[in-house]
Amino acid sequence: MKRLLGILALILLALLGVAPAALAQTPTDIVIEDTAGVLYQPQLLPALEKINFRSPTTVAIYTRNGEASDNFNEEVLRYARASHPEWISADGQKWADGLFIFAFDPQGRHVGTYMGEDRKVSSAKREAIQESVKDLFRDAQWTDGTITGVKKAAKLINQPWYQSAAFIITTSVVGGIALLGFGVRAAVRSKNRTKAAEHLQRGDAGFSSVSLALDTTELNAKTIPDSSSYGALVLEKYRDFSSRYNEASVLNQQVHSFTKKELSQSANVKIVGKYADLAEDLDSLDDVIGDTNTLLNRFSGWEGAWDRQSQPLLEDLNQLPTLVTQSEAKGLPTTLALDSLHAQKKSELDQLGASFQEGQLTPEEALDRLRELRKELTAALQKHSDAMIEKYAKTKSEKSQMRRAMDTSRKSAYRSSSPTILGSVYGWSAFYSVPSFTTGYSSARDEVKASRSDSGSSSSGYGSSGGSFSGSGSSSSF
């Protein structure tokens, strides 16, 4: 294998040694037609002047505000015919030689690349130029995106054959095929072992904590007043505690008997993950049982138990000011509602704690009121979620995709959050936390961005007004 790779390396070096060197030349001219008014030219011009092409090239930048339904290629050609006939060849059928046009529509969400026949690249390379800017354009970084697009074009236009992706791939495949099977298998096994180790660590931590507190958990359960609505619900959760603990004990022995080789297998990683999830669930439940007993009976330390119940809401309220200042949230009615909710509900939570401390409320009444406060925040966050999705998503499928992603984040946040009586009794879907909202929206937006990128197919036609024009170029959406 080493001999084979050595031979390949020598062949590649020999090829590169005889290949002609490519000369670097800055643009012969730069034309900026920013009709959309989104480019910062003091930054753009100096950056473009430093970009090196392999041949003398005129760089034209054109922006316009149109509609998503526009044929962007047709609109670029229409503008060139009306305002820059020098961009078109003498016979009117192609783009002028030595020309590269980078165009985009920030409102209609199109980006296009066009070039003279002597600067022509493949459709795949045109798409690569467009793809290089889409993340920046989605974040409205129009100037940075334009610079990135021109740099990518300079790299690909008149690219020497020995630097092409096809050549590099071809020379790599010969040796790569021999290593691929071993490399992929080794990588998967290594990843499985790492994941198994992570599962094992959190599983052992949870199982150890539960095991050490078994007697205490049983005593706490025996003294929880079942006449209390919350006591009865928590005791319902406790009824299968012993059988689930026995299941965790069996899994504990099983996962610790796995060899290093066995922990490299995906099926066994799932078993270790099941053990970890079960141990963590039991660890959370025994904490809730302890707090329920202490709080409902007002045993010593009940103040700390109450703080653990109210702390998640307090943390959510404290994070609302950051949430409502997000750029995506500006101008939404739900943003104003959340902003006003911050001070109001924080005051009500403080008053609730004081009333409970002074004995004006029973533990059940205090938990009822805490639940209502959390439900009010949850309802406001849900409306804000709907508004944010409505603002960002363009189609029904995108809206559904974002809702699924945000629900996934809620479930994940519920599993990793500090255990509370209310959370244990009502489950993940009852309450919405600010951190899970923030993480969920970011994840949902990224998923939609990725799907838009995948579905942003390239268009190369110039429409009915283009006539017989067949210049090299295409556009896609972002």
Side-chain angles (χ1 to χ4, degrees), residues 77 80-81 85-97 99 114-117 120 460-463 465-473:
L77 177 58
R81 284 171 169 169
E86 72 277 10
W87 289 358
I88 300 173
S89 63
D91 62 5
Q93 301 303 300
K94 308 283 187 181
W95 296 110
D97 283 347
L99 174 69
Y114 312 90
M115 54 209 70
E117 291 301 294
K120 183 167 64 174
S460 57
Y462 289 92
S465 69
S468 59
F469 188 85
S470 58
S472 176

Side-chain angles (χ1 to χ4, degrees), residues 6 63 141 210 215 221 258 434 455:
T63 73
Q141 298 184 45
V210 173
D215 292 341
F258 286 145
V434 173
S455 62

